[in-house]
Structure formats: C-alpha cells, structure tokens
Amino acid sequence: MSTIAPDGPAPVDPPAEDADTALKARHRAMWALGDYPAVAREVVAPLGPVLVEAAGVHAGQRVHDVAAGPGTVAIPAARTGAEVVATDLTPELLEAGRAAAEAEGLDIRWVVADAEHLPCDTGEFDVALSCVGVMFAPHHQAVADQLTRVVRPGGTIGLLSWTPEGFIGQMFATMRPYAPPPPAGSQPPPLWGHVDHVRDLLGDRAQITTAVQQDLVVDRFAGPQDFLDLFKSSYGPTIAVYRALGEGSERAAALDAELIGLVERFDVGDGTTVLPWEYLLVTATRR
C-alpha cells in the first residue's frame, strides 16, 4: 500500500543499481577534470616502481593494475616483461597511459572498467596492484572482494595508499567541510592508509606479508602557491570542490588559505618547499 503526501506522491529513492551508475558517472567525470596525468607524471610517478618492486613483479607474470589511471604502475610493471592489463573507470586517463606506453614500445592492454566490478575471470592474474587508485572507489569491501577474486591462490596483492595522517590525507580532511556531502554508503579514501582497515577488507582470503609507512618526498613545488595552482588546475577532486564553491567566492578564498597553511605546516625544506607525503604500502598473498 503506497503513502501519498498531501501535495503529491512521496519521493521514491532510485533503485540501488541506478544510484550506483550515477555515482560512478560522477567519479568518472571528476577524474577527467583538469590534467591528472600531469600530476601523476610530475609528482606521483616514483611510487609506481616502488610498488612493482615490493610486489616482486617479474617477466612472465600476469599483472592487473586496478584503477590504473595513466599507468603509474602498469608501465613500470610492463618494463619487467610482465603481461599487464590496466583498468580504470576514466577513459581519458587510460588514453594518456596508452600514449606513454606506446612511446616506450610497451604492450599493455587498457580496459575501461569499474574496480568494484572487474571484467576478469576468477584467479586470472598472478598479481593485482593499485597505486593510490582503488582507495578512491566508494565501496571499499566491493573493491577488496574483486582484488581477492581475480588473483590466483598463492598470488600477490599490492596496494599503495595515502594515509589519513599524511599530507594528502590531511588535504582531503581540509577540503571536506567545503565539499558537498558524500553519497550515502561511500567511504573516505584515506581509510586504505590504515593497515587494520586493509586487513579487515581482505579478511581470511589473503595474508598480509608487508605493511610499511613511507614518505614520497615531493620537492617539485616552488612554494605553497605553486602547489595550490597545480592542484586547482589539474587534480580532479580539488577542481570539483572549487567548482561547487564558485570561483572567487569567500569560501573559495577561505579554502585557498587553509590549503596554503597545510603546505606550510608540512614543509620540511630549508629555504625551499619539501613535502613528505606519507603512504602505506601493503603486500598480501592470496590464500
């Protein structure tokens, strides 16, 4: 029996499948904003080889880079001689990765796919990796279920994620009060930077073999304003928050000041801007 409000039909929530489709469309559009490949190339690129080495990737292995972006992990993995598949929700990022790989003569398969619904067979890969990638999918358990599904027993899962306490985690914490509320059911990305959270997600399906916190030392910025300029013009999540605030608004100016203050608090340089960006590196063996 339906309930009718005095002024018309009561609002009806969209089916879960439709809501998820809309959410993923927003994520895809957000990461297509600006120029994330430039951020990856200029700042994040050193992390790819770190994860590839930690996971012991070598020639002949079947490797899946999940939420691959422009190939931060896929490209160094392919350099080892491994057979690499790179998937991501955002086609524009994959196209940038494809161009970079082709410039090196690397053969990588690039596939548009949702990290929560990977189009792969069970146990298809020897290794599944993600470098500051799957942490941004909204439903963490769904991602962990896919990672453990696509890796064969005895295979390796390798994850590198920003920590909540580190610079990028604190950047998101700084932006949170200025951003629209997250969709119901979505989880904060930096939770992947806590090993207990990763352990709970993997459950008894994978044994964690390595869990270390390390810093990516970033000395690319001339100063706080240089950081702000790059992230406001090129980093999708930051661009999305500023667009919601409105260019030139008082709240946008307030966020400018908070982000510049964040850079100043983390800066360990002596006369130059040097920022330690803390991350958690986890490797696990599929049981």
Side-chain angles (χ1 to χ4, degrees):
M1 180 177 179
S2 62
T3 301
I4 304 298
D7 56 351
V12 177
D13 291 334
E17 183 175 338
D18 291 347
D20 187 63
T21 298
L23 173 59
K24 298 304 171 56
R26 290 198 296 273
H27 271 249
R28 183 183 301 114
M30 179 184 70
W31 286 104
L33 294 172
D35 188 2
Y36 179 71
V39 177
R41 183 174 59 252
E42 296 181 27
V43 184
V44 181
L47 296 179
V50 169
L51 183 55
V52 167
E53 181 179 359
V57 175
H58 57 78
Q61 286 187 316
R62 297 162 298 164
V63 176
H64 190 163
D65 182 7
V66 186
T72 301
V73 166
I75 289 173
R79 290 180 188 137
T80 71
E83 178 185 337
V84 180
V85 174
T87 58
D88 197 277
L89 195 63
T90 304
E92 292 87 345
L93 300 185
L94 294 179
E95 285 305 313
R98 187 195 309 275
E102 289 178 352
E104 290 192 38
L106 297 172
D107 185 14
I108 298 172
R109 187 155 62 95
W110 305 88
V111 180
V112 177
D114 181 354
E116 298 177 9
H117 304 282
L118 295 174
C120 310
D121 292 336
T122 298
E124 182 176 345
F125 295 94
D126 301 300
V127 184
L129 304 174
S130 189
C131 179
V132 295
V134 296
M135 65 178 291
F136 292 102
H139 308 116
H140 296 186
Q141 190 61 62
V143 171
D145 292 347
Q146 289 296 297
L147 291 172
T148 54
R149 180 184 69 81
V150 302
V151 173
R152 63 168 176 79
T156 300
I157 298 168
L159 303 168
L160 193 152
S161 309
W162 304 121
T163 66
E165 301 82 9
F167 178 82
I168 295 297
Q170 288 300 297
M171 183 190 76
F172 278 98
T174 300
M175 294 194 298
R176 188 177 304 123
Y178 296 88
S186 63
Q187 295 173 277
L191 283 178
W192 284 89
H194 279 163
V195 66
D196 288 344
H197 183 65
V198 178
R199 184 178 288 110
D200 288 344
L201 292 173
L202 298 178
D204 61 3
R205 297 167 297 182
Q207 175 67 45
I208 290 179
T209 53
T210 303
V212 294
Q213 287 184 344
Q214 301 177 149
D215 289 332
L216 171 66
V217 178
V218 178
D219 59 3
R220 171 246 184 263
F221 300 111
Q225 188 63 49
D226 192 26
F227 161 81
L228 189 61
D229 290 345
L230 179 66
F231 271 64
K232 286 179 69 173
S233 65
S234 299
Y235 192 64
T238 309
I239 296 170
V241 171
Y242 274 96
R243 285 191 177 181
L245 294 175
E247 186 67 29
S249 69
E250 289 185 7
R251 283 177 57 76
L255 180 55
D256 282 350
E258 289 208 42
L259 290 174
I260 286 176
L262 178 71
V263 174
E264 292 172 343
R265 290 197 302 276
F266 272 83
D267 187 1
V268 297
D270 183 10
T272 61
T273 297
V274 179
L275 302 172
W277 291 11
E278 187 181 67
Y279 60 86
L280 173 71
L281 173 63
V282 171
T283 61
T285 301
R286 179 72 167 93
R287 287 179 166 142

